[in-house]
Amino acid sequence: MQWCYQPHHFTGGLTVNDQSTDADFEVQSKLRKASSLVLDLLLPQVEVARICAELKYEYRERIYHPMITVWLFISQVLSADHSCQQAVTRFNAYRVAKGLLRVSSETTSYCKARGNLPERLFERLLSWTAKRCEEATDQAWLFQDRIVEMVDGWTLTMADTDENQEEYPQMKSQKPGCGFPIARMIGLFSLATGAIQRTAVGPYRGKQTGETSLLRTILDCILPGRILLADRYYANFWLLALGPMRGIDLVARAHQLRKIDFRRGLKLGYLDQLVAYHKPARPKWMSKKEYDQFPCLVLVRHLKYKVEQKGFRTREITLATTLVDAETYAAEDLAELFRRRWQVELHIRSLKTQMQMEHLRCKSPQMVRKEIHCHMIGFNLVRAAIMASALKFGRCPTRLSFTGAMQAIEELAACLRLRSGRGSEQFDNLLETISELVVGNRPGRQEKRELKRRQKNYKLMKTKRNPNRNRYATAA
């Protein structure tokens, strides 16, 4: 009889409940840090000026200076409309509430101000928000007192311009003018808070554009002592070797091409063994100096279990991990940890669907990357509000609704912009509202991937739009 794992509803850490284990004064300190991050980003923030000074970016004091521009950009990606016109309208309401003269409703100045900002400013702001979220993390949300970071990739499209097509070409199967530029991205998400730590973007196709290649560009950002949680695509020798080389452990599903025999390894338990992965030949993308730094072999732990829950597509899972201590890291705990990897799919869905990041609007690669980072900063802002609510009301942050939190934040932002007063009461109302929007626990829920609403029966474009328009105009 094989060992069967039955997933149960997660409420906090693997061995804790929703209640915080930190002392009251520490919880209050973390609550202040999470709350201050939310309030800092909902209004023009001096942190932007500080980073500009460190980057030696010089600017003149104009209406759309960097603090105003970044604030408007973040509020733009958090709004339902996402248009520059609404951002300028929102800015005018803010100025009138402060007793200042309104500016022109034209978006030209605002768009130029966004284009003048350096990309490094947005990268630094993302790192700053991730650090603030990490400082507010409750000890009860960690796995074995260790920070777990989830990695996964996704794609997105953008405005069809010549510049975007040159840097992020469309798919080969699409005819010129009938597709959109497409980019591949990966992100590092905190398992405890959901905040995104780091991101990398590249073309969808071509050499060194895969998810593992993008991950290698940001590996230095993963601190020693952390655990990397990933799917089977990442379970290769080069990432598993990060354990002995950098002190970063990997938990992933075993790669589908690796043949695993539980009769040959060193037994740690039932369907739980220790094996050695030998260093393969040097790949073309790796230099000889870098290749020589890797060890000749890596000890990897394999464990296999069955999933007996209706609605789960996979019935049998084999994990590959560098957490080889079976006493410290029990097989049941690792199975539960890998089940929580699905959270990263929900975070990506929040980015692409709730925050409308699936298709970007900017028309140049530089602005596309800025727009991506603004989405990430806005995502961390929402996660910080969820963290603050979880800390105040003793909830688990993964159980609170992202969409509900984003809607509540938009209402609070409007109150702060218009100086409606009672800011403290409004923020308390925000946290209480988020705490009430709990995501339901529906184990075994099954929904087929089918659409009820029929799509419009329009023909697909097979030639460029301009020739079609000219042909119809001539016929008319």
Side-chain angles (χ1 to χ4, degrees), residues 119 167-168 201 364-373:
E119 290 184 43
E167 190 149 347
Y168 304 108
V201 60
S364 68
Q366 295 80 13
M367 285 303 302
V368 163
R369 289 188 288 269
K370 294 176 188 179
E371 189 177 1
I372 288 172
H373 279 92

